[in-house]
Amino acid sequence: MTQLNSFIIAALLIVLLGFAYQSGWARSRKLVTANGVKIHSRSQYHGALVAIWVLIPALLILGLWAFFGPNITRAFTVTQIPADVVATLDQPALNAAIQRLQALASGYGVSGDLAPYEQGAGAALRNFQLVTFLIVLAAVAVAGILALLFARSRIDARLRARTHVERIINLLLLACSAVAILTTVGIVASLLTEALRFFTFISPFDFFFGTVWQPNNSGTAGNYGSYGILPLLSGTLMITAIAMLVAVPIGLMAAIYLSQYAHHRLRAFAKPIIEILAGIPTIVFGFLALVTVGPFLRDVGNLVGLDISATSALTAGIVMGIMIIPFVSSLSDDILNQVPRTLRDGAYGLGATKSETIRNVLLPAALPGIVGAFLLAVSRAIGETMIVVLAAGNSPVLRGNPFEPVATITVSIVNQLTGDTDFAGPQSLVAFALGLTLFVITLLLNVFALYIVRRFREQYE
Amino acid sequence: MDMLAGKVKRTEATINTMATRPDAHTAPDRPIRINAEDVTVHYGAKQALFGISIEIPDRAVTSFIGPSGCGKSTFLRCINRMNDTIEGAKVGGTITLDGENIYDPSLDVVELRARIGMVFQKPNPFPKSIYENVAYGPKIHGLARNKADLDEIVISSLKKAGLFEEVKDRLNEPGTGLSGGQQQRLCIARAIAVGPEVILMDEPCSALDPIATAIIEELIDELRENYTIVIVTHSMQQAARVSQKTAFFHLGKLIEVGPTSDIFTNPVHKQTQDYIMGRIG
Amino acid sequence: MTDTPRVATLTSAERTRLIHSGLRRRHLSEQVFKGLGLAAIILALGFVALLFADVLRKGVPAFVQSNLHLAVTYDPAIIAVEPAPIREAGQSDADFRAVSLKWQRDVALLNWNKVVEASLRAAAPVGFEIDSKQILTTAETDARHRIRELFVADPTLLGKTVEVEVLASANAANWIKGNIDRSLPDTQQQLSAPARALIDQFTANGTISSGFAWSILGNVDSRAAPAAAGLAGAFVGSLFMMLIVVVLAVPIGVASAIYLEEFAPKSRLTDFIEVNINNLAAVPSIVFGLLGAAVFINYFHLPLSAPIVGGLVLTLMTLPTIIIATRGALLGVSPALRQAALGMGASKTQMVFHHVLPVTLPSILTATILGVAHALGETAPLLLIGMKAFVASVPATPFDQATALPVQIYLWQGNENRNFFEPRTAAAIMVLLALMITLNGFAIYLRSRLEKRA
């Protein structure tokens, strides 16, 4: 029934729009042929403008109905249930009664015996639904036609229909770019409000300077557990540092080799293959860290007499480093290529070898850009989630040994916010305080890095 | 500043009278330093140079002229093997420096470039201090035993390039902060610091204003007493002013070569004549 | 400063000797540097190769499943139930459904394990001694559902015997594939000694055979029947989310890129929007998950773990990527084309939509596909909007509970039956990677094709 209704409304709209377009188009054509005057805009634009005029009131009415309709219907349904029956029903039972009536009205029927009032009430509801639907339909049609007549009457040779249509397109485009802003606003607002709620349970001081992370997930007032972020922060930083130790030398040297030494065939082959690493979902890296790299490191540790846990900061860090290699290498590659060729020529012309040119001229010239790239990589490592969820071992204890399990900010967000909590206690709200911390750290890194990279680009433009 | 003004005046005079130095137009009867025979260059499938043969005299200025894209810069870059750094470039024929084939596989290109310095079209100081820019060559080649040696090389090179007086108080400031003409002289000082025998200049004044150009030309004239200089220029006047020998390139071929005065006053080939008369762009 | 410099006036021979003496060292360091670069390339390429090799090595065996071919007899002695109801005239939909459901419930309450056991015993060698509980461990627990569903669909099967193919249990599959050390003592084996012997007998007499594991592709996730667990639900969930991303992120992203690049006046506001979009592109994905949890779930009360929420979150995440790529493409269009269009009297809007946009289409398409592929592999934000839940059905609409391929991988890797689920997880990764490679390949193909035409 409702599907059929939507279909009818959609059909009506299409007919209205088509008719409106046609009518605007025809009228403006007539202007041309009848008077031979030169009209400002081509007929398509007149048609489109009329169609837009029709669409706006129609959508307005439909929107209002979508918003208020369900409540009105519900209110009507309740009036159909005898007052003495309503009085006996609690909220869930009332909802059930309404659902039964709606099932009756839709003609599907209900199982079980009918209460005396139900048959009549169902029929009344059915009528009501039909009538309201027809009213809405009529309202849409009337409003549309009125708008059509009005818009049509405005058509004359001087009407700047194209300008109007283009202004509307412009507004639509503007609305679309507002989405990105709204996203940022949404992120900041939701993180802030929920984090502030968290801080009504746990003081910011205990959160930012606490050295113990021990949430009591079933705890009630007075027994929430400890929410010190420092163990998580230290885990995050340790893993990030290990990742950078892996990614920076390999990524940078790979970029240097590919851009300065490699034959173009090797470059054409190796560059996309290395970049495959960037496209692989992090859950895949996490899985391999867990089942392959971790056990491998543990065995290596046993061999050399080191006690390395299979899930540890080292495991997560190394695998994350591998994941970041293409990020570092492609950014560095870009930056190295932006250093003007004349600088390289200058060094070659003095008799510098290739590596001397690269080390003494190219890298110093590219340094700001490369530092920016590294900061972006750091920010990515800090925000990475799945690898650490699977491979870091989730042990939120403040310690400095990379061979032992750790926990990070992201891991704790995933652990605390499982999706089925109601955000009532600090146990789930802490995820937002953690998220806010993460957001601020990465934001600062990004802003700074992008600023450096931008300055670097301007220097050589 | 006074010195600068004086130079400008002199240059204006030079421009007006088209070279007044007594030996400016005489054919240099100096020993041959560089000898090129049948040099060809291919970039991939495209041939850029066709059988260039030329002799370049010692301690004189030889200029290459011709319309843009004629191959004069390409040939210049063959002389210190800068074309090696371009992927897909292939050089044929032989070029000898003091009788030694510079394309001999046993020859070390690093060593060669220390002997044949180069100055580029656009001033390209390294993003380092003025001092470091000049000191870089001697450092990598191990020419200075200690800091005092290095200081000495840097200062004498800056002096030779006529830049020392202008920058002596700010040797530690970045080289990129200098004016265009100063930057180009810094690049010349940088090249001189390695102690080359030959200096190649690829349109060294094309990015400079007339005053800076005049100063550089003046400098080239002084340097020729100690160095073999090859200069590529798109300005015939410049070639006439600074060089003793001129070679005219067109469409990758060497059309005519001879003493500068002959080329400009009495060209043999019609193409040369057309170019000098401004009929070829 | 002395006026008779020594070093600056070295003779050329002396200088050459000095330069020459340093050359060996310099060339050595050149070789070392170059070698380091090559080593980095080889390492990076090696990581890619190892990654794929490891996934394949682990995942490929999981694509082989062990099938049990059974002759199932629908014995009326076990299946004691009234005949299936037939719809009477005048019965309402709801009433008939109620009766049917009651009958199905009755059928479900029968002891179908007895039917399974009987058919397993029929396939076992005569006189093979094994108790009921043990013999049932050889077949996957969903065997009884399969057999029951056949009966519900066709009640006339009562009393007949039909050939049915069911899955061997996960433990049996492990035993057959050698994933379990056969020499382990009974106490450490998941199957009893008679059950293991029976499985070997079944393999020998052809009751158990190997086949391609369509179950991975065609089934939904299952906890009770690990061998039957598949990716169908997750696949459809991912598909819904991709559709939402394509339908929302592409038009909005392209539109805002057009506005920012072509129409927006250069002002502080547009500068701010630009910085904002660049930063949004680098915000950790998990933060988008928090946004989804707070706004879509907690504020708008959209359903938990539904593709609609996942799709919206991924849309917001993908949007900056598409905007940045599209802006880059628009920026690359030559001013000559714009001037030509404007010179013909086209309005700015006409110029953009008729001339500039078509030229940039290949880049936009490629960026879109890459963005969608990236969204396809995203896990963390989905966990935060409740997609950790176990879902054993294929979602019919984007509002139903569902999971996604990467989340399914996350769920499977955490399964306690490591021996069986580790390969299966790798197999799921293979499916995900295959999808992503297909998408990327398609993007490359499309790009080269469209660019050739342009």
Side-chain angles (χ1 to χ4, degrees):
Chain A
M1 181 71 182
T2 48
Q3 267 168 8
L4 185 67
N5 283 1
S6 335
F7 185 74
I8 291 173
I9 288 176
L12 175 74
L13 274 181
I14 288 172
V15 169
L16 259 178
L17 284 184
F19 185 64
Y21 180 87
Q22 177 61 27
S23 130
W25 185 83
R27 190 175 166 102
S28 68
R29 291 298 289 181
K30 224 175 187 171
L31 277 176
V32 186
T33 45
N35 311 341
V37 291
K38 188 165 163 37
I39 62 169
H40 173 271
S41 303
R42 291 174 59 196
S43 303
Q44 290 94 310
Y45 287 103
H46 286 283
L49 187 60
V50 176
I52 291 168
W53 267 104
V54 169
L55 192 62
I56 291 169
L59 283 185
L60 209 65
I61 291 173
L62 286 177
L64 285 176
W65 177 244
F67 195 74
F68 293 110
N71 282 337
I72 296 174
T73 310
R74 188 188 157 93
F76 175 82
T77 316
V78 175
T79 64
Q80 292 305 304
I81 306 174
D84 52 324
V85 179
V86 174
T88 64
L89 298 173
D90 59 355
Q91 198 60 33
L94 183 64
N95 284 342
I98 290 171
Q99 262 172 21
R100 272 176 77 86
L101 287 184
Q102 276 168 352
L104 276 174
S106 69
Y108 183 71
V110 291
S111 53
D113 296 329
L114 288 179
Y117 70 89
E118 279 184 330
Q119 197 72 51
L125 182 59
R126 189 188 174 83
N127 281 335
F128 176 78
Q129 280 174 341
L130 188 67
V131 170
T132 49
F133 174 66
L134 287 177
I135 290 175
V136 170
L137 210 59
V140 168
V142 168
I145 289 165
L146 283 179
L148 189 154
L149 290 176
F150 171 70
R152 213 172 106 94
S153 73
R154 288 177 70 233
I155 295 180
D156 68 30
R158 279 162 307 165
L159 178 69
R160 296 167 176 266
R162 199 199 68 225
T163 323
H164 288 289
V165 172
E166 286 180 353
R167 194 170 299 152
I168 289 161
I169 292 176
N170 241 342
L171 278 176
L172 275 177
L173 295 179
L174 176 66
C176 287
S177 31
V179 173
I181 304 283
L182 282 179
T183 309
T184 310
V185 172
I187 288 176
V188 172
S190 58
L191 290 181
L192 265 181
T193 47
E194 306 295 343
L196 286 177
R197 273 176 67 197
F198 169 74
F199 289 133
T200 61
F201 293 99
I202 307 290
S203 91
F205 185 85
D206 290 343
F207 176 70
F208 287 115
F209 300 101
T211 55
V212 179
W213 177 265
Q214 225 161 40
N216 183 355
N217 283 337
S218 51
T220 47
N223 188 24
Y224 290 128
S226 325
Y227 295 87
I229 198 177
L230 289 183
L232 309 181
L233 205 58
S234 82
T236 304
L237 293 182
M238 194 191 291
I239 290 177
T240 304
I242 295 170
M244 294 309 284
L245 282 179
V246 173
V248 168
I250 298 181
L252 186 59
M253 284 310 289
I256 288 174
Y257 189 84
L258 281 183
S259 68
Q260 309 297 324
Y261 285 101
H263 190 269
H264 66 91
R265 280 206 210 107
L266 175 63
R267 186 179 158 87
F269 163 81
K271 208 170 139 72
I273 289 198
I274 292 175
E275 268 163 25
I276 286 179
L277 283 175
I280 289 176
T282 55
I283 178 86
V284 176
F285 282 104
F287 174 72
L288 293 181
L290 180 68
V291 302
T292 305
V293 180
F296 171 76
L297 289 176
R298 186 190 53 209
D299 295 347
V300 170
N302 283 342
L303 221 59
V304 298
L306 273 175
D307 191 15
I308 301 179
S309 174
T311 54
S312 65
L314 187 69
T315 309
I318 288 178
V319 173
M320 196 190 285
I322 293 174
M323 182 196 82
I324 294 178
I325 288 174
F327 194 73
V328 173
S329 76
S330 70
L331 274 173
S332 310
D333 194 26
D334 275 0
I335 305 247
L336 284 174
N337 281 328
Q338 272 176 14
V339 177
R341 211 196 140 76
T342 54
L343 274 187
R344 269 197 290 163
D345 283 354
Y348 288 144
L350 289 175
T353 64
K354 214 160 191 176
S355 63
E356 284 163 352
T357 306
I358 293 165
R359 275 181 292 147
N360 304 336
V361 177
L362 219 52
L363 285 182
L367 193 65
I370 289 176
V371 168
F374 291 169
L375 290 181
L376 286 178
V378 167
S379 126
R380 167 163 287 209
I382 288 179
E384 169 47 39
T385 309
M386 291 323 290
I387 294 177
V388 279
V389 164
L390 295 190
N394 189 23
S395 163
V397 180
L398 196 58
R399 59 186 159 208
N401 183 352
F403 301 144
E404 286 183 47
V406 294
T408 66
I409 297 178
T410 50
V411 168
S412 302
I413 293 176
V414 171
N415 286 341
Q416 296 306 122
L417 195 73
T418 44
D420 45 20
T421 35
D422 53 355
F423 298 180
Q427 291 90 344
S428 54
L429 284 173
V430 71
F432 291 93
L434 291 172
L436 185 66
T437 316
L438 185 67
F439 180 74
V440 170
I441 294 176
T442 53
L443 183 76
L444 289 179
L445 277 172
N446 291 333
V447 171
F448 188 51
L450 289 174
Y451 170 76
I452 294 180
V453 172
R454 200 161 155 182
R455 280 281 301 273
F456 168 77
R457 296 219 161 114
E458 278 163 3
Q459 186 189 334
Y460 289 116
E461 252 164 22
Chain B
M1 220 42 227
D2 281 347
M3 191 186 70
L4 225 142
K7 278 192 174 174
V8 174
K9 259 190 206 131
R10 250 181 82 190
T11 312
E12 276 168 355
T14 320
I15 293 170
N16 290 339
T17 57
M18 274 292 260
T20 46
R21 286 177 68 100
D23 60 342
H25 289 202
T26 54
D29 51 353
R30 292 188 172 276
I32 298 305
R33 201 70 206 272
I34 296 167
N35 190 6
E37 261 173 56
D38 198 26
V39 174
T40 57
V41 172
H42 288 84
Y43 291 124
K46 190 176 162 280
Q47 184 160 9
L49 281 186
F50 301 84
I52 309 292
S53 298
I54 190 173
E55 293 173 334
I56 291 169
D58 188 26
R59 290 169 203 243
V61 179
T62 306
S63 64
F64 296 168
I65 59 170
S68 53
C70 66
K72 53 191 194 293
S73 288
T74 304
F75 181 64
L76 187 78
R77 294 168 79 91
C78 290
I79 300 175
N80 69 343
R81 290 183 53 178
M82 279 300 278
N83 280 329
D84 289 14
T85 63
I86 298 170
E87 208 171 306
K90 263 205 192 73
V91 181
T94 54
I95 300 177
T96 57
L97 172 65
D98 296 337
E100 198 184 344
N101 183 5
I102 65 166
Y103 280 92
D104 188 324
S106 69
L107 180 129
D108 195 317
V109 69
V110 166
E111 208 176 347
L112 174 77
R113 290 193 191 134
R115 293 175 65 191
I116 306 181
M118 189 161 189
V119 176
F120 298 84
Q121 192 166 359
K122 224 181 118 202
N124 56 352
F126 301 137
K128 301 168 185 273
S129 70
I130 294 170
Y131 181 93
E132 286 293 325
N133 259 286
V134 183
Y136 180 66
K139 260 191 193 164
I140 55 171
H141 291 299
L143 293 178
R145 281 159 306 202
N146 50 38
K147 180 83 170 74
D149 277 5
L150 200 58
D151 286 349
E152 206 175 290
I153 297 177
V154 169
I155 290 165
S156 80
S157 305
L158 283 171
K159 277 180 179 162
K160 281 186 197 164
L163 189 63
F164 184 66
E165 290 302 320
E166 292 163 58
V167 300
K168 65 181 174 194
D169 300 326
R170 42 176 174 149
L171 289 178
N172 289 321
E173 285 173 30
T176 43
L178 297 172
S179 74
Q182 287 174 324
Q183 285 190 12
Q184 196 61 301
R185 276 181 285 150
L186 178 62
C187 292
I188 293 174
R190 188 174 71 184
I192 291 173
V194 184
E197 297 145 44
V198 180
I199 300 177
L200 308 177
M201 298 187 172
D202 188 358
E203 304 199 17
C205 303
S206 66
L208 305 182
D209 61 79
I211 295 173
T213 302
I215 296 172
I216 301 267
E217 285 180 7
E218 200 73 35
L219 176 61
I220 293 172
D221 213 43
E222 282 162 23
L223 289 174
R224 114 180 122 85
E225 286 169 22
N226 293 312
Y227 302 92
T228 302
I229 294 174
V230 185
I231 177 171
V232 162
T233 174
H234 62 268
S235 147
M236 283 171 290
Q237 288 83 351
Q238 189 169 59
R241 286 194 297 266
V242 301
S243 71
Q244 289 75 51
K245 184 171 182 174
T246 296
F248 171 63
F249 286 73
H250 189 45
L251 297 176
K253 294 192 176 88
L254 177 62
I255 306 296
E256 188 168 352
V257 58
T260 301
S261 51
D262 290 1
I263 294 278
F264 280 95
T265 53
N266 201 5
V268 179
H269 287 265
K270 185 169 178 304
Q271 278 166 310
T272 317
Q273 205 174 355
D274 286 349
Y275 180 67
I276 288 164
M277 305 300 283
R279 283 186 217 125
I280 304 178
Chain C
M1 195 62 48
T2 158
D3 259 19
T4 53
R6 294 155 295 124
V7 189
T9 54
L10 284 172
T11 65
S12 98
E14 286 167 329
R15 203 180 336 249
T16 310
R17 196 181 43 76
L18 267 177
I19 292 175
H20 206 79
S21 65
L23 277 180
R24 250 181 78 87
R25 183 188 48 79
R26 289 171 67 196
H27 282 307
L28 189 69
S29 89
E30 169 77 19
Q31 290 309 317
V32 169
F33 189 77
K34 193 173 169 183
L36 285 176
L38 193 60
I41 298 283
I42 291 170
L43 259 177
L45 292 179
F47 287 141
V48 180
L50 275 178
L51 192 148
F52 279 96
D54 200 39
V55 169
L56 286 179
R57 188 175 63 88
K58 292 198 163 69
V60 166
F63 278 104
V64 175
Q65 69 183 18
S66 302
N67 299 318
L68 261 171
H69 301 272
L70 297 177
V72 176
T73 306
Y74 289 93
D75 185 355
I78 306 172
I79 307 170
V81 70
E82 294 163 34
I86 300 160
R87 186 168 185 166
E88 293 159 27
Q91 201 172 22
S92 81
D93 280 343
D95 284 340
F96 177 65
R97 230 172 76 119
V99 180
S100 299
L101 282 174
K102 183 185 173 299
W103 180 76
Q104 283 182 31
R105 203 161 50 237
D106 290 345
V107 170
L109 285 174
L110 296 170
N111 192 349
W112 288 94
N113 272 341
K114 276 202 171 152
V115 180
V116 178
E117 185 190 337
S119 47
L120 282 168
R121 284 204 189 279
V126 184
F128 192 92
E129 293 227 350
I130 184 166
D131 70 27
S132 308
K133 208 174 161 190
Q134 288 172 358
I135 196 170
L136 280 172
T137 59
T138 60
E140 191 47 281
T141 51
D142 73 330
R144 60 174 191 268
H145 305 306
R146 290 279 317 279
I147 291 169
R148 185 188 70 211
E149 276 158 21
L150 285 177
F151 177 72
V152 171
D154 179 11
T156 62
L157 284 177
L158 193 65
K160 293 182 190 160
T161 299
V162 285
E163 289 282 326
V164 179
E165 192 182 280
V166 298
L167 284 166
S169 70
N171 288 333
N174 273 340
W175 177 255
I176 294 162
K177 287 181 188 168
N179 289 350
I180 288 176
D181 187 351
R182 292 196 164 219
S183 61
L184 285 177
D186 271 5
T187 48
Q188 290 179 34
Q189 291 284 0
Q190 279 148 320
L191 292 169
S192 65
R196 299 196 309 263
L198 181 62
I199 291 164
D200 287 340
Q201 291 281 352
F202 277 162
T203 316
N205 71 14
T207 305
I208 288 183
S209 67
S210 296
F212 181 77
W214 290 110
S215 60
I216 292 185
L217 302 177
N219 286 10
V220 293
D221 193 15
S222 170
R223 272 184 188 163
L231 294 169
F235 182 81
V236 175
S238 275
L239 195 71
F240 275 134
M241 285 189 254
M242 292 308 99
L243 277 179
I244 292 167
V245 171
V246 169
V247 167
L248 290 180
V250 177
I252 297 180
V254 173
S256 44
I258 289 175
Y259 180 75
L260 292 174
E261 197 59 44
E262 305 285 342
F263 294 103
K266 293 279 165 262
S267 66
R268 277 175 176 278
L269 180 70
T270 41
D271 273 359
F272 172 73
I273 296 181
E274 167 148 14
V275 171
N276 173 47
I277 288 173
N278 282 336
N279 284 316
L280 213 49
V283 167
S285 61
I286 194 165
V287 172
F288 285 94
L290 287 170
L291 172 75
V295 173
F296 296 133
I297 307 257
N298 203 32
Y299 189 75
F300 285 117
H301 296 292
L302 286 173
L304 268 175
S305 70
I308 179 77
V309 182
L312 286 174
V313 168
L314 295 180
T315 297
L316 295 182
M317 206 190 77
T318 317
L319 208 52
T321 323
I322 293 181
I323 296 179
I324 292 173
T326 309
R327 287 191 71 176
L330 290 173
L331 203 65
V333 175
S334 82
L337 181 70
R338 294 162 195 275
Q339 281 154 12
L342 290 176
M344 297 283 292
S347 69
K348 204 163 180 186
T349 312
Q350 287 169 328
M351 170 197 87
V352 171
F353 285 92
H354 296 172
H355 301 283
V356 176
L357 205 54
V359 178
T360 53
L361 210 59
S363 315
I364 295 176
L365 267 178
T366 316
T368 302
I369 297 174
L370 295 182
V372 168
H374 186 230
L376 173 67
E378 197 55 67
T379 321
L382 301 184
L383 296 183
L384 297 195
I385 54 159
M387 282 205 166
K388 268 178 181 172
F390 164 77
V391 179
S393 60
V394 176
T397 73
F399 291 88
D400 296 341
Q401 276 224 328
T403 177
L405 282 174
V407 178
Q408 191 68 67
I409 292 169
Y410 173 73
L411 293 172
W412 277 2
Q413 63 79 31
N415 194 295
E416 301 86 7
N417 192 345
R418 286 295 284 274
N419 264 338
F420 187 77
F421 267 95
E422 203 172 287
R424 215 161 183 83
T425 310
I429 288 177
M430 282 171 63
V431 173
L432 178 64
L433 288 183
L435 265 179
M436 297 191 71
I437 289 171
T438 313
L439 276 174
N440 281 287
F442 184 61
I444 294 167
Y445 166 78
L446 214 61
R447 186 190 198 114
S448 67
R449 230 193 113 142
L450 287 173
E451 272 176 358
K452 222 174 274 165
R453 220 175 47 189

